[in-house]
Amino acid sequence: MNPDASLITALVERWRPETSTFHLPCGEITITLEDVVTLSSLAIDVDAVVVDIPDEEWSAICLRLLGRVPVDLVGGVAVVRIVWLRVEFSHLPEDASQEVIEQFARAYALSLIGGVLLPDRSGSTVHLQYLLLIEDWERAGGFAWGAAILSYLYREMGRSTLHITHTGTSLAGDLGGWVALLQFWAWERFPHLAPRDSETRSQATEDAHPRGLRWLSASSRQYGDQLFQYKP
């Protein structure tokens, strides 16, 4: 889904890091843990997403859990390119062993984390620290991914707000974090901002679970760069 840059920019410009809320003419509002659960069904009340500093070299961890190491992973570098993950693990051999299947599954999960759920500003690389969280699948399912995603999004919006304050220009175009979640939330809380095309309305069923599924096929309202359309 392509993010609505104008909508995201308008929201970020009204974000206040000191209260973690959007300051609107009608008052303050924020995206909450309840919103994250409702929109994504990701857990919020289990173990925190925390990574212990490993004793192994990152290249050794990568080889052990993915079965291969990118050529540019040298020295103290601890990130891999998402495009490398998608190319190297694009086709699972028909005679793959259980170990290889799990390596491919980790590669997919790692690209999902770095490309969708917890992306950095570039959106092109992902830190290998997340690989340690999906080493054991049963343990991976016991983390509060929803809470981690929300706190990361809070931090990214705060960073962007500070940039606006000091420079007068917006960073919303390269905002890190799960931007689609913020956009879904805005469409849910402010229905007049949501897409209105007939295809979207026919698929945006009220009983969708999680509710974020209502908007997967939606397109933005085509305001383009007309930021003023979202401003009071």
Side-chain angles (χ1 to χ4, degrees), residues 202-217:
S202 65
Q203 296 185 19
T205 56
E206 290 296 327
D207 58 353
H209 181 77
R211 284 185 68 85
L213 291 176
R214 301 174 70 222
W215 307 110
L216 283 183
S217 62

Side-chain angles (χ1 to χ4, degrees), residues 9-221:
T9 298
L11 288 171
V12 171
E13 287 182 353
R14 290 190 169 274
W15 180 256
R16 296 297 178 267
E18 60 272 16
T19 58
S20 295
T21 57
F22 298 104
H23 284 214
L24 306 179
C26 59
E28 296 182 42
I29 189 172
T30 193
I31 179 171
T32 66
L33 288 171
E34 182 180 5
D35 291 319
V36 174
V37 173
T38 302
L39 291 169
S40 71
S41 289
L42 291 170
I44 61 171
D45 56 357
V46 285
D47 293 341
V49 177
V50 178
V51 180
D52 296 326
I53 300 176
D55 294 327
E56 290 181 88
E57 294 288 338
W58 288 113
S59 57
I61 293 173
C62 193
L63 180 62
R64 177 167 59 85
L65 298 180
L66 294 180
R68 61 196 75 179
V69 181
V71 294
D72 55 353
L73 187 66
V74 294
V77 176
V79 298
V80 295
R81 298 183 186 278
I82 294 176
V83 67
W84 176 82
L85 291 170
R86 293 173 178 170
V87 170
E88 288 292 317
F89 298 90
S90 61
H91 178 69
L92 179 67
E94 294 183 3
D95 58 348
S97 65
Q98 181 62 30
E99 181 182 13
V100 172
I101 292 174
E102 291 190 8
Q103 289 170 348
F104 270 71
R106 289 193 192 99
Y108 173 79
L110 190 61
S111 65
L112 181 66
I113 292 171
V116 179
L117 302 178
L118 295 166
D120 59 20
R121 280 172 286 172
S122 72
S124 62
T125 61
V126 58
H127 201 287
L128 286 173
Q129 63 182 348
Y130 299 120
L131 194 55
L132 297 172
L133 297 172
I134 54 178
E135 177 177 0
D136 184 326
W137 291 114
E138 290 187 9
R139 183 168 177 262
F143 288 121
W145 292 104
I149 287 167
L150 183 59
S151 63
Y152 189 80
L153 185 60
Y154 274 17
R155 188 184 73 174
E156 286 296 306
M157 288 193 293
R159 178 190 59 81
S160 186
T161 299
L162 290 175
H163 182 84
I164 294 172
T165 301
H166 292 299
T167 68
T169 59
S170 175
L171 267 179
D174 65 346
L175 180 69
W178 193 9
V179 177
L181 179 68
L182 181 60
Q183 187 161 310
F184 292 165
W185 171 82
W187 286 348
E188 287 279 343
R189 295 301 184 184
F190 305 99
H192 62 285
L193 300 179
R196 294 179 178 176
D197 58 275
S198 57
E199 180 182 358
T200 297
R201 286 301 177 189
S202 65
Q203 296 185 19
T205 56
E206 290 296 327
D207 58 353
H209 181 77
R211 284 185 68 85
L213 291 176
R214 301 174 70 222
W215 307 110
L216 283 183
S217 62
S219 58
S220 301
R221 295 188 65 183

